[in-house]
Amino acid sequence: MLKKRVGIEVSLAVAEAVKQARAQVISAYPITPQTHIVEELSTYVANGELDAEFIPVESEHSAMSAAVGAAAAGARVYTATSSQGLALMHEILFIASAQRLPIVMTVANRSLSGPISIWNDHSDIMAERDIGWVQLFVEDGQEATELTIAAFKIAEDHRVLLPVAVNMDGFILTHMIEPVIFPAQATVDKFLPPYKPALKLDPAKPVTMGPVGVPEVYLEAKKQCEQALLDSKAVVAEVLAEAGKTFERKYNLIETNGKKKAKTLFVTMGSLGESVWSAVEGLNEDGEDVGQVRIRLWRPFPVQEFKKACKGAKRLIVIDRAMSPGSVCGPVAQELKTIFYKDKDAPEIVNVIAGLGGRDVPVADFKEMYRLAKKGKLAKTYTLWGVDSNA
Amino acid sequence: MAKKSLCAWQDLALGAAILAPGSAAKLKTGDWRTLIPRLDEDKCIKCGMCELYCPEFCISEGKDGFFRPNFAYCKGCGICANECPKQAIAMVMEEK
Ligand code: SF4
Ligand code: SF4
């Protein structure tokens, strides 16, 4: 059967995916560059295309609180946010995972103020690394569409029962018009059957959710959630493989591009990966020994899969999209330095923090990074790429 | 190491939920108390405000019409004394 490709803004494609996933409750507050997603969903609900409860709350703190309540009542829940909105949700994000509620949220990644910035980087989600959610990063519109549907399947799996954040770069992905192939509704329904809660608020069978965790309980409660998150890796891999089969794509926890067994590897997460891919292709044509590793699953971090993808590499050029002020390098590089610590064949890790607050990083810049790294001219700690300095 | 937990993490309900209703009755908050409410029956007008405000729901009306706490649960917070319109309740140090 010939599938229909449509040119569509990626935000609207994500809204369509949420509709196809038959979300039952959507609670959201608008924030650039996420707004188009929930705006479109509110239209679907208003015109009857989507049979869901749309809760237009007064803040993101309330958006996540309403999502927690609805998920506790056993509904399939979706929300989306960005930057300051994610920051305002902060305290409730931990509660969602602690109560094991399978909420799905798109984070349209955007820099945090100040100074005020609506443009793209990863500082919003990096400030929320430890919320106990499954965290995925997508690169393009097709992936954003399919992994939004897959996110519900991951979250609702009884071996997981945790919220899932699908990260997509604000503007440089959310506002792109890309060709997207939508699966048939019957295909989605087969892939994602209705949500069966393991535990829900039900007057006929009363339970208490979110009680006080006295010192005799708190530690065990945290351990339970951490273990669920660690164990979710296998389920994510399984669901991504099934999504790949269903939607005729290939989804792994970690992807690789470019020359096999290359000595130097770029490490990327999110849409800048596509620019790096172009740079790597160009460098390979020039005979350079370079490849690329893309991180799709950020939490739980797939340590073995990542190490396997880097086998034989002598140097990693890790592109971070956020700072970790006062630390030794950016957050992704910190993670990688930790996992390779004391490994005999550990690659050298050089860190470039690039594209902060929407600063453009064209393909040529990545080629330049490669050349500098090859000559050993990138800083041992990290390089704040492109910063204008008098020094 | 002395056991300091209620149960193993594997035995906790999903998300540390409490599955059986009414479990608060098992928590005898009476041993939190340092001050104890003492009722002056001469001042009390039997209005029941103390019963309404008690956060432990441990005050109830007796056969004689006076409202008295169940000391297995009264945690000595003093809210009843604060809310009483007739200052009929005094919070006093409890001799243990
Ligand atoms: S002291 Fe507090 S707990 Fe005790 S009876 Fe008065 S209001 Fe209730
Ligand atoms: S509030 Fe005061 S006056 Fe009213 S019943 Fe209680 S002790 Fe008596």
Side-chain angles (χ1 to χ4, degrees), chain A residues 149-165:
Chain A
I149 297 168
F152 287 99
K153 194 176 174 76
I154 295 165
E156 294 169 5
D157 190 300
H158 281 205
R159 293 166 293 172
V160 178
L161 290 171
L162 284 171
V164 178

Side-chain angles (χ1 to χ4, degrees), chain B residues 39 43-50 67 83-86 88-89:
Chain B
L39 179 68
K43 287 188 187 165
C44 176
I45 56 167
K46 302 180 177 175
C47 68
M49 287 291 271
C50 51
F67 289 82
E83 295 298 334
C84 172
K86 291 289 166 190
I89 302 172

Side-chain angles (χ1 to χ4, degrees), chain B residues 30-46:
Chain B
D31 62 6
W32 298 4
R33 193 174 59 229
T34 49
L35 298 176
I36 188 164
R38 182 183 292 152
L39 179 68
D40 182 339
E41 293 178 5
D42 293 338
K43 287 188 187 165
C44 176
I45 56 167
K46 302 180 177 175

Side-chain angles (χ1 to χ4, degrees), chain A residues 232-250:
Chain A
S232 74
K233 185 180 84 171
V235 181
V236 177
E238 193 182 299
V239 172
L240 290 188
E242 195 184 329
K245 242 187 248 144
T246 308
F247 306 127
E248 295 167 33
R249 293 251 293 190
K250 192 181 80 130

Side-chain angles (χ1 to χ4, degrees), chain B residues 46-66:
Chain B
K46 302 180 177 175
C47 68
M49 287 291 271
C50 51
E51 181 195 26
L52 279 178
Y53 276 100
C54 172
E56 288 297 326
F57 310 104
C58 76
I59 301 180
S60 57
E61 191 179 356
K63 283 206 181 70
D64 56 3
F66 285 113

